[in-house]
Amino acid sequence: MTASKLSSAPLILVLHGPNLNLLGKREPEIYGHDSLADIDARLQRLIKETSKASLLSFQSNSEGALIDCIHAAPQKGVGFIVINPGGLTHSSVALRDALTGVALPFIEVHLSNIHAREPFRHRSLLADQAVGVIAGLGARGYEFALMWALEYLQRRS
């Protein structure tokens, strides 16, 4: 995990699930040409330009590592989570339980429109617990989610 700045300002956690480390190489016709590093760099720039909040970013291909990161989030001062759970969207009750267990608001993000793809991708185990879901807007979906998270945190403070 890396933080953009150290402060008591709001902290947003961006989680990237399995296979997102392959962005830019894996099926670019579906997921786009941006790498995960490109996306994280844009989010870091956006948060520095628009707020006093800080951003943590974490990617893992391991469900357990993602869950551990979610469990640690409240102690780190995280106020909001932006998550692209990748394929775990459709299969991980444990990830859902971790997110509901820490009771932090979160937005679910998908690069592709999961509802326009294979039928098994149409159902998210997380969506009914999320404050919002963004799908099909490519890497920009992360940016929209981050901006909304900042607005949400500002309204709550």
Side-chain angles (χ1 to χ4, degrees):
M1 270 190 224
T2 58
S4 64
K5 30 185 154 159
L6 300 172
S7 72
S8 62
L11 184 57
I12 297 171
L13 173 62
V14 179
L15 289 175
H16 308 283
N19 299 312
L20 292 168
N21 57 304
L22 298 176
L23 287 179
K25 299 176 221 157
R26 176 184 173 221
E27 301 174 278
E29 68 281 1
I30 295 174
Y31 300 110
H33 295 279
D34 290 326
S35 70
L36 190 59
D38 294 335
I39 292 169
D40 281 341
R42 269 201 308 281
L43 294 177
Q44 290 289 352
R45 276 194 307 277
L46 183 61
I47 205 161
K48 284 180 182 177
E49 293 169 359
T50 61
S51 77
K52 293 181 180 175
S54 295
L55 186 71
L56 295 174
S57 180
F58 180 74
Q59 187 278 329
S60 181
N61 295 317
S62 168
E63 180 180 34
L66 293 166
I67 291 169
D68 289 343
C69 188
I70 292 166
H71 287 179
Q75 290 76 34
K76 293 182 181 299
V78 171
F80 201 99
I81 297 173
V82 173
I83 182 170
N84 182 340
L88 295 174
T89 302
H90 323 289
S91 63
S92 182
V93 173
L95 190 61
R96 173 194 169 93
D97 289 349
L99 287 163
T100 59
V102 297
L104 291 171
F106 70 94
I107 293 178
E108 180 181 334
V109 174
H110 298 283
L111 297 164
S112 68
N113 181 354
I114 60 173
H115 305 290
R117 297 190 58 199
E118 304 92 337
F120 72 88
R121 294 187 195 275
H122 297 181
R123 185 165 192 288
S124 166
L125 296 179
L126 312 177
D128 67 320
Q129 298 299 307
V131 297
V133 177
I134 299 172
L137 301 180
R140 290 292 309 272
Y142 280 103
E143 296 171 34
F144 295 136
L146 179 60
M147 294 307 296
W148 200 92
L150 289 168
E151 290 176 23
Y152 179 94
L153 290 171
Q154 186 171 12
R155 284 193 310 269
R156 297 280 188 243
S157 62

